Amino acid sequence: MRLTCPYCGSRDISEFRYLGDASAVRPRLGTGSAEPPTDLEIAEISDATFLRENPRGLVHELWYHTGGCRAWIEVRRNTATHDIMSTRPASIRAVTASRADRQPDHATQSASEAQRTPPA
Amino acid sequence: MRYSLYNLAQNALAGHARWTPVWRDASPRNGYDVVIVGGGGHGLATAYHLAKDHGITNVAVVEKGWIGGGNTGRNTTIIRSNYLLPGNTGFYELSMKLWERQEQDLNFNTMVSQRGIINLVHTDGQRDAAARRGNQMRINGIDAELWDAETTRKHLPMLNFDNARFPIKGGLVQKRAGTARHDAVAWGYARGASSLGVDIIQNCEVTGFVRDGGRVTGVETTRGTINAAKVGLAVAGNTSRLGDMAGLRLPIESHVLQAFVSEGLKPLIPNVITFGMGHFYISQSDKGGLVFGGDLDGYNSYAQRGNLPIVEEVAECAMAILPGVGRVRVLRSWGGIMDMTMDGSPIIDATPIDGLYLNGGWCYGGFKATPGSGFVFAHLLATGRPHHEAERFKLDRFRSGATLDERGAGPTPNLQ
């Protein structure tokens, strides 16, 4: 298996480290107040942390080019055949776009909003 | 037919022309009390125990391919009960005790071989951790011994003790552990279940669930609709796909695990040996081939095959502890589909959907659990309550925080 790093070109899979589902977005928790999280917030963060779609077929996933330029790459790959459809640099836009491809299970802020506000 | 020396002799004299099929290749009926999806070891063992222990015989096992053709036919045959965490310790020992009586219970040769296992240790810290796990086992009435280097060298002189990078300092030993013939396990449970009235239906793939309001009342299959008062899923590897049909997202990623068999050798490895500085395990089958495997490839896969980097890594582990196998030829390799959970431990629980029960998330350790899993899943299906040895395998333990994190790796399935 080979991945095409957008910066380094086609490299053997052993140069990369797998993270997982690129569409897993951690929801922003609260507003930084001292209030304990609500049951809904706990459910949201628990679901985002632990639940996965895990399809047999096309997936968006994150790989890290640890043996090369150390960029994070978003890969579109087929888990039934290992065919690589495309690779591109991972970015906030990319993550938001892949979530837009799916029906959200629950209301979450977009990843870009979450990135702008530092955690409390 | 009950197997015995008598009917073996009779059939031999008759030229083996009078053996009857080991199980009925059944056609689906309209409905059953319980439909078990998945004709692997776990599903078949569940059906057997439903019939045997609970008298529930109006049961069907539906299997998309041939029975035992999934992970049951692909594993490295190791059985053991040397787990650390409460919740796991007792369950795997329950399973081990069932292994010990399996051949008598099933009247079938599953080649259960309690040849022992050693988990090698290479540092003082590892030895301490091994002692802790061994003590945890002994507190629970499970056999465990801690061998030093000298004792290990006496038993296994062919290992590479003085490896500068991974010196062998000893190991944690469970003598009652060992191996079993995986295909025979599937066939033995199939025969047991079928003889008690269970319908085993092959080439029958579930394509959806029949719902009545929120409740599951049956399965849609490639061989028609089958109604069921209860549906139990035992499809580890494909659990998420079935879950998706029911609208469930699960804490599971499907990963490929490769395994290997070498050419036949004269007896070299008398037990099961695991490496301490990498994920690697090896034993020798009765045909003489070395059966071994290592870590996951690391990426989600349903392909039932993997790639070369992990092949190289597995070979490196083998050479680190047993350099004598350096010129042995690998005959074949293959892959399976592992239900990797977010804490490395299984899920045996009712789902939030009435009528639908789940037995999955076995990661790469499902084979040793086969008898125990069937036993406790049958208990759950029959009574609606979890068996006390399986009550921690809850589906919602990730949200509640009651995870069984043997490896301490956090919510990253490929690190479990």
Side-chain angles (χ1 to χ4, degrees):
Chain A
M1 209 156 100
R2 299 180 72 85
L3 285 182
T4 301
C5 171
Y7 305 105
C8 305
S10 176
R11 296 296 180 94
D12 185 72
I13 198 70
S14 56
E15 286 191 15
F16 300 86
R17 187 159 172 78
Y18 181 74
L19 177 62
D21 187 3
S23 66
V25 174
R26 201 183 311 159
R28 184 160 153 251
L29 258 193
T31 55
S33 75
E35 294 296 311
T38 63
D39 282 348
L40 179 62
E41 284 174 324
I42 290 173
E44 279 183 356
I45 199 162
S46 170
D47 289 356
T49 305
F50 294 116
L51 300 186
R52 294 290 179 267
E53 198 176 312
N54 189 29
R56 183 178 189 273
L58 210 55
V59 293
H60 299 249
E61 49 190 29
L62 287 168
W63 291 77
Y64 178 62
H65 196 184
T66 177
C69 64
R70 297 164 69 186
W72 280 98
I73 315 172
E74 186 184 308
V75 177
R76 287 169 59 91
R77 185 174 65 90
N78 188 318
T79 57
T81 63
H82 297 169
D83 286 331
I84 311 283
M85 303 303 155
S86 65
T87 61
R88 62 180 171 184
S91 67
I92 294 165
R93 269 192 325 275
V95 171
T96 312
S98 67
R99 272 200 69 75
D101 292 342
R102 300 148 196 271
Q103 288 300 316
D105 292 303
H106 46 262
T108 57
Q109 291 180 299
S110 74
S112 55
E113 268 184 78
Q115 287 291 318
R116 248 185 278 127
T117 317
Chain B
M1 168 204 301
R2 190 174 168 72
Y3 296 139
S4 65
L5 202 53
Y6 175 67
N7 65 32
L8 178 59
Q10 266 201 314
N11 276 280
L13 290 171
H16 293 294
R18 285 195 264 153
W19 290 111
T20 53
V22 173
W23 65 85
R24 285 174 304 109
D25 192 22
S27 291
R29 289 190 278 114
N30 184 49
Y32 298 87
D33 291 339
V34 182
V35 165
I36 295 163
V37 183
H42 288 219
L44 293 164
T46 303
Y48 168 77
H49 281 288
L50 274 173
K52 186 89 201 305
D53 300 339
H54 301 278
I56 299 171
T57 56
N58 188 17
V59 174
V61 176
V62 296
E63 162 55 46
K64 69 171 164 64
W66 65 95
I67 59 165
N71 294 332
T72 298
R74 293 162 199 266
N75 56 72
T76 50
T77 78
I78 297 169
I79 64 176
R80 56 185 175 87
S81 56
N82 56 1
Y83 281 69
L84 175 69
L85 297 180
N88 281 329
T89 315
F91 170 78
Y92 288 100
E93 177 60 12
L94 165 74
S95 196
M96 180 56 75
K97 288 197 163 76
L98 287 169
W99 281 116
E100 287 176 321
R101 41 180 296 182
Q102 185 181 76
E103 288 168 314
Q104 279 65 50
D105 284 349
L106 297 180
N107 177 237
F108 201 84
N109 183 11
T110 52
M111 294 164 64
V112 174
S113 168
Q114 291 182 281
R115 57 185 68 180
I117 189 170
I118 183 167
N119 306 135
L120 297 176
V121 299
H122 309 275
T123 67
D124 294 342
Q126 281 198 323
R127 188 184 51 223
D128 289 348
R132 179 183 176 218
R133 183 155 56 90
N135 283 327
Q136 167 74 344
M137 290 163 65
R138 291 173 72 95
I139 286 167
N140 285 279
I142 305 167
D143 63 314
E145 290 178 30
L146 193 63
W147 286 0
D148 59 13
E150 197 189 310
T151 310
T152 310
R153 196 188 287 263
K154 242 195 344 240
H155 285 88
L156 304 168
M158 71 295 194
L159 296 181
N160 189 8
F161 285 86
D162 303 314
N163 181 333
R165 196 169 168 212
F166 308 118
I168 294 174
K169 306 254 178 166
L172 182 67
V173 170
Q174 187 189 16
K175 287 193 166 154
R176 285 165 60 237
T179 61
R181 173 78 200 284
H182 50 48
D183 297 323
V185 171
W187 303 332
Y189 280 116
R191 174 168 170 268
S194 179
S195 68
L196 292 170
V198 171
D199 279 0
I200 295 172
I201 305 161
Q202 297 177 109
N203 299 307
C204 185
E205 180 168 358
V206 169
T207 55
F209 292 100
V210 183
R211 310 286 289 259
D212 179 8
R215 193 185 174 83
V216 162
T217 57
V219 289
E220 303 285 6
T221 78
T222 51
R223 293 178 70 174
T225 305
I226 304 174
N227 297 308
K230 292 181 184 174
V231 176
L233 302 179
V235 294
N238 288 296
T239 301
S240 294
R241 296 172 69 197
L242 274 296
D244 187 54
M245 290 176 201
L248 291 170
R249 281 178 93 217
L250 297 168
I252 292 171
E253 286 185 7
S254 293
H255 280 264
V256 56
L257 181 71
Q258 297 189 61
F260 310 86
V261 161
S262 78
E263 57 181 331
L265 304 174
K266 289 184 183 176
L268 172 67
I269 302 178
N271 59 353
V272 182
I273 303 171
T274 76
F275 183 36
M277 279 300 188
H279 194 183
F280 174 79
Y281 33 91
I282 188 166
S283 65
Q284 189 166 14
S285 80
D286 294 340
K287 285 199 292 189
L290 303 181
V291 182
F292 56 98
D295 222 343
L296 304 171
D297 271 49
Y299 44 85
N300 282 27
S301 172
Y302 283 88
Q304 293 178 309
R305 57 183 165 80
N307 280 285
L308 290 174
I310 203 69
V311 177
E312 186 174 5
E313 198 173 300
V314 169
E316 283 174 357
C317 291
M319 291 300 289
I321 57 169
L322 199 53
V325 302
R327 281 184 285 182
V328 171
R329 281 165 286 204
V330 174
L331 264 190
R332 58 184 170 271
S333 70
W334 62 91
I337 313 172
M338 309 294 109
D339 254 16
M340 296 305 295
T341 58
M342 290 286 175
D343 63 357
S345 295
I347 301 166
I348 308 177
D349 200 1
T351 69
I353 300 170
D354 279 340
L356 186 63
Y357 298 80
L358 173 56
N359 176 340
W362 289 97
C363 301
Y364 43 75
F367 179 65
K368 73 179 80 69
T370 303
S373 166
F375 182 81
V376 303
F377 198 36
H379 181 279
L380 174 63
L381 288 165
T383 69
R385 289 182 327 272
H387 189 276
H388 70 269
E389 292 289 11
E391 63 193 358
R392 296 197 201 202
F393 296 146
K394 290 239 170 295
L395 178 56
D396 73 350
R397 66 178 184 265
F398 305 95
R399 183 182 297 193
S400 70
T403 52
L404 293 166
D405 205 345
E406 282 277 325
R407 188 159 289 200
T412 316
N414 68 344
L415 297 183
Q416 303 300 339

